[in-house]
């Protein structure tokens, strides 16, 4: 009923999943900073998430942990699970999962990343194949972006043979997210005609609100003057006579109003904040 990717990229762990099932994000994904990530699906056993994360935290390899929990489970033959830890990765598809079903689990040669991709009731193995290609092709992007790229590719390849309904992404990384609490992405589309596309839109919004500053330009000279003019249009005129410091203070006030404060950069302006400011104030494209 589901296709997913569980992955590690450096110190980041996460899961992306889609299904013809209501609120798949409430069932399948789990991750813990410094430990690993788990996706439990098919006839999902949600208890696998804390059980497997506890085993990973204790130092047990992913394949051994997965073998142990499924062997002790009377319904193990109906389960499908992907697990990634600090130095290990594994996927499991029980003999009673509904075809097409299967998965792959691999680590990069340099040890910097690992992924497990799995699915059941899919249109065919091409879903997993395309997800793997997309993951590999997206090298250089953040973990949430790479997870999403794989999910988009699986969806485009046909995904769940019964159709579409929900999708989710959950990722953790030290210092990421709102107040740098470590949640790099936590998004769910619970019931939608095109959930993966909607999830893509939401991840872009998430990164705008909670992402780190990027492409920062010094707030000085003509740029500072432009930013000051744009802020004045929006009712946040910089204090007279304070120069760039006044512009920066006015920018902070506006950013707090529209919830972009996570992207504030001392002495400069984030690329995406500048774009949003220009669009909101009605400035022509630069």
């Amino acid at each position: 009923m589901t296709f997913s990717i569980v992955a590690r990229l450096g110190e980041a762990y996460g899961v992306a999943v889609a299904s013809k099932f209501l609120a798949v994000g409430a069932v399948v994904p789990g991750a813990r900073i410094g430990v690993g990530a788990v996706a439990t699906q098919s006839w999902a056993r949600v208890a696998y998430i804390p059980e497997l994360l506890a085993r990973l935290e204790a130092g047990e390899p992913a394949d051994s942990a997965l073998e142990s929990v499924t062997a002790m489970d009377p319904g193990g033959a109906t389960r499908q699970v992907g697990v990634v830890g600090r130095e290990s990765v594994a996927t499991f598809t029980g003999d009673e999962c509904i075809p097409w079903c299967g998965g792959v689990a691999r680590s990069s040669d340099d040890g910097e990343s690992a992924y497990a991709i799995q699915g059941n009731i899919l249109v065919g193995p091409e879903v997993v194949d395309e997800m793997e290609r997309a993951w590999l092709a997206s090298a250089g992007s953040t973990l949430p972006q790479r997870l999403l790229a794989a999910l988009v590719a699986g969806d485009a390849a046909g995904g769940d043979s019964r159709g579409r309904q929900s999708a989710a992404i959950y990722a953790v990384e030290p210092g990421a997210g709102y107040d740098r609490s470590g949640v790099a992405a936590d998004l769910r589309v619970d019931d939608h005609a095109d959930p993966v596309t909607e999830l893509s839109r939401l991840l872009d919004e998430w990164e705008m609100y909670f992402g780190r500053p990027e492409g920062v330009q010094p707030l000085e000279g003509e740029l500072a003057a432009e930013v000051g003019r744009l802020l004045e249009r929006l009712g946040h005129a910089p204090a007279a006579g304070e120069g760039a410091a006044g512009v920066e203070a006015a920018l902070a006030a506006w950013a707090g109003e529209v919830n972009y404060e996570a992207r504030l950069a001392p002495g400069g302006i984030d690329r995406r904040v500048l774009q949003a400011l220009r669009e909101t104030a009605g400035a022509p494209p630069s």
Side-chain angles (χ1 to χ4, degrees):
M1 66 179 185
T2 305
F3 55 102
S4 68
I5 175 170
V6 182
R8 176 181 62 81
L9 185 61
E11 294 186 302
Y13 298 89
V15 181
V17 57
S19 182
K20 179 65 172 70
F21 186 84
L22 181 71
V24 71
V27 176
V28 171
R32 186 180 300 166
I33 292 174
V35 176
V38 177
T40 174
Q41 55 199 52
S42 186
W43 293 95
R45 184 173 183 269
V46 179
Y48 277 169
I49 295 173
E51 290 172 1
L52 285 164
L53 289 175
R55 287 174 175 270
L56 292 173
E57 191 165 26
E60 189 172 352
D63 54 355
S64 171
L66 192 48
E67 182 178 353
S68 295
V69 299
T70 53
M72 292 187 295
D73 177 11
T78 68
R79 319 293 190 196
Q80 188 172 53
V81 193
V83 186
V84 63
R86 286 185 289 263
E87 297 178 349
S88 58
V89 63
T91 188
F92 170 83
T93 299
D95 293 340
E96 295 178 20
C97 290
I98 301 173
W100 189 89
C101 55
V104 296
R106 309 190 204 282
S107 298
S108 64
D109 292 339
D110 60 8
E112 272 301 297
S113 66
Y115 59 90
I117 301 170
Q118 48 281 313
N120 61 91
I121 321 184
L122 304 184
V123 296
E126 62 269 25
V127 176
V128 170
D129 293 343
E130 290 304 312
M131 291 177 72
E132 184 173 27
R133 288 192 187 98
W135 166 265
L136 296 172
S138 61
S141 299
T142 66
L143 177 63
Q145 290 166 349
R146 294 187 71 178
L147 292 172
L148 180 64
L151 202 68
V152 168
D155 186 60
D160 190 321
S161 62
R162 300 165 305 160
R164 301 175 171 91
Q165 188 169 6
S166 65
I169 185 167
Y170 183 67
V172 297
E173 181 179 10
Y178 182 73
D179 81 355
R180 305 306 175 221
S181 60
V183 179
D186 185 2
L187 296 165
R188 286 171 40 176
V189 179
D190 287 344
D191 191 15
H192 196 281
D194 192 1
V196 174
T197 298
E198 177 64 4
L199 189 66
S200 300
R201 183 189 71 80
L202 290 175
L203 181 60
D204 186 64
E205 288 291 297
W206 175 282
E207 291 179 339
M208 182 63 191
Y209 286 107
F210 305 133
R212 294 182 175 94
E214 58 185 282
V216 176
Q217 299 180 58
L219 202 53
E220 56 189 30
E222 178 50 39
L223 179 59
E226 178 197 1
V227 169
R229 291 191 298 270
L230 295 174
L231 289 167
E232 185 172 5
R233 290 187 197 175
L234 298 174
H236 289 277
E242 294 189 7
V247 174
E248 188 171 355
L251 177 62
W254 174 75
E257 184 178 281
V258 295
N259 298 318
Y260 295 159
E261 58 268 28
R263 284 188 169 271
L264 289 174
I269 184 167
D270 168 270
R271 174 184 62 80
R272 291 187 62 171
V273 170
L274 178 58
Q275 179 183 353
L277 178 61
R278 285 170 170 164
E279 291 173 353
T280 305
S286 62

